[in-house]
Amino acid sequence: MVGRRPKAKEAQPSRKRPNEENDDTVEPPKSKKQKVSHESHATVGGIVLTLGEGDVGQLGLGEDILERSRPSKVDISEDIIQVFAGGMHTVCLTSKGEVITFGCNDDGALGRDTSEEGSETLPAKVELPSKVVQVSAGDSHTAALTEEGKVYIWGIFRDANGLMGMITYKNVQKTPVQFVIGSPKTVVVKIVSGGDHLACLTSNGEIYTAGNAEQGQLGRVAECFAVRGGRKGAEYLLTPGIVRCRRSRGRKSSKFSDIWAGTFDTFAREAESGDIYAWGLNNYYQLGIDDMENRFMPERLTSFEGKQWKSFASGQHHTVALDTAGKVYSLGRKEYGRLGLGKDCEETKEPTLITSLNGTGCQSISAGSSVSFAVSNDGVGFSWGMGTNQQLGTGNDDDVYEPIKIAGKQLLNREVIMISAGGQHTVLLAKDKPAEKEGS
């Protein structure tokens, strides 16, 4: 198969709530029976639905299915508790802690042998040494977190010059390998993937990052070393390093309770204060900072003060944010409707409430390059943004400027659990609606 990147639609650029106690971090396991935990770990199972473009098998529907404009069921017999859409591949986590992948494997993103013709287009398991509790997917890489707090990765990171590598410079990691984070005693509780970077949150509230640093997304690399590590070499970027961040209210280093990664950005929530920090690309104000300057080190976001935030999702040039009250906000670039603020909206420099979702009450969000998604508390999926790749589930390729319900026969009697947006496709996790009681 000839390697291809996702279609370029736009030019790319060269509070868990704070506890009353002072320490909101997660204690590492004290015995083999005590496993890592984090509020982001999924437990509710369901079936996998895919839509959008699938010309390299990322829909998991076989080599003859090249596109779907409505959600279609993927033939997986296992109970799935988490799904992630990468650039051109899909990753699923079963309730038993096994990882299933399908899609483009040119750069090893599937982590398994696909030498048999057509095998990359159908779901199959990845060999891993331990039970997995969380997965993440980037443009050409995949990561898995085991119940012991260890991280395994496969695939490759890229930058503007091409292949960067994964463990070592320019190497393609075709099967899972342990990604050593910190010391042997370091326990990771959450992993998140950007387009070409990985961020890991440890049990003591530290953040480690690795991958592409060109837009500042690692938060630990000065701009002079951002391109392949400069004189320090690419291994400086590929070796996980700790993000240093001074607390806004004191001299001690910040400890964090949660992290999120976008295409070129990383967001983090400080454990004690609930303050939001971010670093990375800011050319369309997508960090909520009004100077359009990239941030190569963590910066506290004053534009996010006054609310308690549950999660963040970033596309190429925009960010979607969800607060603990279930309200959805957006900021950044306006084109193609990705902000969900109407056809005549302007670019926003701070989180702006999506009024058409006000009162809905949402539990999760997701963002692709130029698309956005939200899932309501009652299991309804909403989409908005660029319709070109049929990622929105509307049945056509029109752009959508305000959130619209995702429809289709596969959702008639099902609730959406989560949504993940990839480069040209979308993946949903859904479960059957509870049966109505007689006489109700």
Side-chain angles (χ1 to χ4, degrees), residues 206-407:
E206 295 176 329
I207 299 172
Y208 286 79
T209 60
N212 185 358
E214 289 177 333
Q215 288 78 36
Q217 55 266 60
L218 297 191
R220 60 175 177 85
V221 178
E223 188 170 4
C224 59
F225 300 115
V227 179
R228 304 221 164 176
R231 59 181 173 81
K232 293 186 177 183
E235 282 74 13
Y236 174 56
L237 309 182
L238 297 175
T239 303
I242 193 169
V243 177
R244 302 291 182 184
C245 179
R246 291 296 178 186
R247 288 176 51 184
S248 59
R249 297 169 178 82
R251 295 184 178 181
K252 294 182 180 180
S253 295
S254 289
K255 300 295 184 181
F256 295 93
S257 60
D258 216 338
I259 54 172
W260 305 270
T263 306
F264 302 112
D265 302 304
T266 308
F267 290 80
R269 184 176 63 210
E270 191 181 41
E272 182 178 348
S273 67
D275 289 342
I276 302 300
Y277 286 75
W279 50 94
L281 187 68
N282 190 47
N283 60 341
Y284 283 92
Y285 315 109
Q286 56 265 54
L287 294 184
I289 306 172
D290 64 3
D291 58 10
M292 299 178 70
E293 296 291 330
N294 297 351
R295 292 302 192 273
F296 288 82
M297 298 294 165
E299 181 164 330
R300 185 169 62 90
L301 303 181
T302 58
S303 62
F304 284 87
E305 290 180 342
K307 295 185 184 299
Q308 293 179 327
W309 297 98
K310 182 177 180 180
S311 63
F312 294 82
S314 292
Q316 191 176 53
H317 295 140
H318 78 294
T319 296
V320 182
L322 175 67
D323 71 12
T324 55
K327 295 181 179 181
V328 182
Y329 302 75
S330 64
L331 61 156
R333 193 170 185 176
K334 64 178 182 177
E335 278 81 9
Y336 311 114
R338 74 191 86 185
L339 296 183
L341 301 175
K343 195 168 186 177
D344 299 323
C345 76
E346 298 297 326
E347 288 165 0
T348 59
K349 303 178 182 180
E350 58 185 31
T352 303
L353 180 67
I354 300 179
T355 56
S356 59
L357 285 176
N358 198 20
T360 299
C362 292
Q363 58 178 303
S364 66
I365 52 175
S366 180
S369 293
S370 303
V371 295
S372 305
F373 299 89
V375 179
S376 70
N377 292 330
D378 57 358
V380 177
F382 292 87
S383 64
W384 60 97
M386 179 184 282
T388 302
N389 296 317
Q390 303 185 84
Q391 284 180 271
L392 304 180
T394 61
N396 57 54
D397 60 1
D398 294 337
D399 296 342
V400 176
Y401 293 88
E402 293 186 20
I404 188 173
K405 291 182 180 180
I406 301 174

Side-chain angles (χ1 to χ4, degrees), residues 53 81 98:
E53 295 191 5
I81 61 173
E98 298 174 315

Side-chain angles (χ1 to χ4, degrees), residues 1-195:
M1 182 184 292
V2 178
R4 292 179 292 121
R5 312 304 303 149
K7 295 181 181 178
K9 302 300 181 183
E10 305 168 34
Q12 294 189 6
S14 74
R15 284 197 255 216
K16 191 180 172 175
R17 299 187 186 182
N19 290 338
E20 294 179 359
E21 293 83 9
N22 290 332
D23 190 359
D24 190 30
T25 57
V26 182
E27 290 296 326
K30 293 181 174 61
S31 70
K32 290 184 178 180
K33 292 183 179 180
Q34 185 178 357
K35 307 304 182 182
V36 298
S37 65
H38 189 268
E39 60 182 341
S40 62
H41 295 181
T43 57
V44 180
I47 65 164
V48 179
L49 305 174
T50 59
L51 64 151
E53 295 191 5
D55 53 344
V56 291
Q58 62 265 55
L59 298 183
L61 303 173
E63 55 188 331
D64 296 327
I65 307 299
L66 303 183
E67 63 180 15
R68 279 288 185 265
S69 60
R70 298 284 191 184
S72 297
K73 184 180 178 181
V74 181
D75 186 14
I76 301 176
S77 59
E78 288 86 351
D79 191 39
I80 302 299
I81 61 173
Q82 191 181 33
V83 292
F84 270 103
M88 301 181 79
H89 72 291
T90 302
V91 184
C92 307
L93 177 63
T94 75
S95 58
K96 295 180 180 179
E98 298 174 315
V99 176
I100 294 174
T101 60
F102 45 91
C104 183
N105 198 32
D106 294 350
D107 294 322
L110 299 190
R112 58 181 175 86
D113 180 15
T114 56
S115 56
E116 183 179 344
E117 185 175 356
S119 60
E120 72 279 4
T121 69
L122 296 173
K125 293 179 182 178
V126 180
E127 294 280 342
L128 284 156
S130 184
K131 181 179 179 180
V132 172
V133 296
Q134 194 171 61
V135 292
S136 68
D139 195 12
S140 299
H141 76 271
T142 305
L145 173 66
T146 70
E147 61 181 357
E148 298 88 7
K150 304 302 180 184
V151 178
Y152 287 81
I153 57 171
W154 54 95
I156 201 166
F157 294 126
R158 291 172 175 265
D159 63 10
N161 295 307
L163 302 179
M164 279 187 64
M166 179 60 74
I167 298 296
T168 58
Y169 183 52
K170 286 193 174 181
N171 88 299
V172 176
Q173 187 63 45
K174 294 187 177 182
T175 56
V177 63
Q178 186 176 344
F179 211 30
V180 180
I181 310 293
S183 73
K185 294 184 179 180
T186 300
V187 175
V188 175
V189 297
K190 184 180 181 180
I191 56 173
V192 290
S193 289

